[in-house]
Amino acid sequence: MTAASAARILIVGPQGSGKGTQGVRVAEGFGIPVVSTGDIFRANIKGGTELGRKVSDITARGDLVPDELTSEIVRDRLSQDDAASGFLLDGYPRNVAQVGHLDEFLSGRDEALDAVILLDVPREESIARLKLRADEQGRSDDTEEGIAHRLDIYENETAPILAVYGERGIVDRIDGVGSLDEITERIRSALSARGLTLAA
Ligand code: AMP
């Protein structure tokens, strides 16, 4: 086994953009863990933990969990050994305040994000995919209003983080419409242009 290459990546996109699926594929290629705040919250809700009880109503409404709480969970997760040589963040940071929290944490370790992958999918396509997922997986936040509400939050609160990262020159906008393999290949080639190369 070759050593995992250091890569600190964020994947951003509206709900239904396929960022979860693509995130797992990319992280596997680099041998780095996926850190998905949505998955962490869902696991805690399912497990009936104190954190799960705190966030279950908020996530069911499609609102954002308070920034401090979310950032603390991410700091704990990124402090684990497997994230020492890289990680792929999915779903965090989700607003400009969280970008500040992450910057502070990473700069304290002399680290920074290497790339921000924006999976670009039109709103109508996201809605269609989320409706399908609601039928298949029965996620409690995938109701019609829930979907519209979360897409509004994405547009109003999450999209602005792209301007912040854009100024740093680390955003790669990827067309998120196409087959799974085509999209993974687009991401791979964008990362490779930044000198971040996935294992074969
Ligand atoms: P996701 O699976 O990323 O769509 O996340 C599911 C839900 O978890 C969201 O609708 C929010 O309620 C909550 N959540 C996930 N990530 C964050 C975050 N970075 N900040 C606040 N809330 C979050």
Side-chain angles (χ1 to χ4, degrees):
M1 281 266 302
T2 52
S5 20
R8 296 181 182 86
I9 301 168
L10 162 64
I11 191 160
V12 186
Q15 287 72 21
S17 62
K19 69 183 167 58
T21 308
Q22 292 296 337
V24 168
R25 289 178 155 219
V26 171
E28 269 171 8
F30 281 102
I32 53 177
V34 174
V35 175
S36 156
T37 39
D39 284 352
I40 293 173
F41 291 140
R42 277 185 289 278
N44 277 275
I45 293 167
K46 205 166 163 205
T49 67
E50 194 188 331
L51 172 65
R53 282 192 294 278
K54 267 191 206 159
V55 303
S56 75
D57 287 351
I58 303 173
T59 59
R61 285 197 304 270
D63 287 331
L64 294 187
V65 173
D67 295 333
E68 256 317 324
L69 177 59
T70 307
S71 293
E72 188 187 327
I73 285 156
V74 173
R75 284 193 292 269
D76 283 354
R77 178 64 189 88
L78 294 182
S79 301
Q80 290 172 24
D81 288 349
D82 65 339
S85 66
F87 50 80
L88 181 140
L89 285 168
D90 168 6
Y92 177 95
R94 221 171 179 104
N95 59 25
V96 173
Q98 293 180 9
V99 171
H101 294 167
L102 180 65
D103 281 346
E104 204 181 314
F105 175 75
L106 291 180
S107 64
R109 304 207 305 189
D110 262 335
E111 293 174 4
L113 289 181
D114 297 305
V116 175
I117 299 293
L118 164 62
L119 263 193
D120 209 8
V121 170
R123 186 174 170 114
E124 315 74 64
E125 172 85 15
S126 292
I127 292 175
R129 291 186 193 177
L130 288 169
K131 283 190 177 150
L132 198 70
R133 185 174 78 184
D135 293 342
E136 284 168 4
Q137 298 179 9
R139 256 180 60 164
S140 63
D141 53 356
D142 275 347
T143 61
E144 198 150 338
E145 296 103 74
I147 290 170
H149 183 52
R150 284 183 295 139
L151 287 174
D152 287 343
I153 292 187
Y154 175 78
E155 282 157 20
N156 296 328
E157 300 204 34
T158 307
I161 77 172
L162 295 164
V164 178
Y165 288 126
E167 276 175 18
R168 300 181 195 173
I170 57 170
V171 177
D172 289 310
R173 183 180 293 266
I174 305 291
D175 178 2
V177 180
S179 72
L180 278 184
D181 286 346
E182 276 164 2
I183 297 166
T184 308
E185 177 52 29
R186 288 174 200 153
I187 298 174
R188 192 202 60 74
S189 103
L191 291 174
S192 151
R194 293 187 179 278
L196 300 168
T197 312
L198 276 84

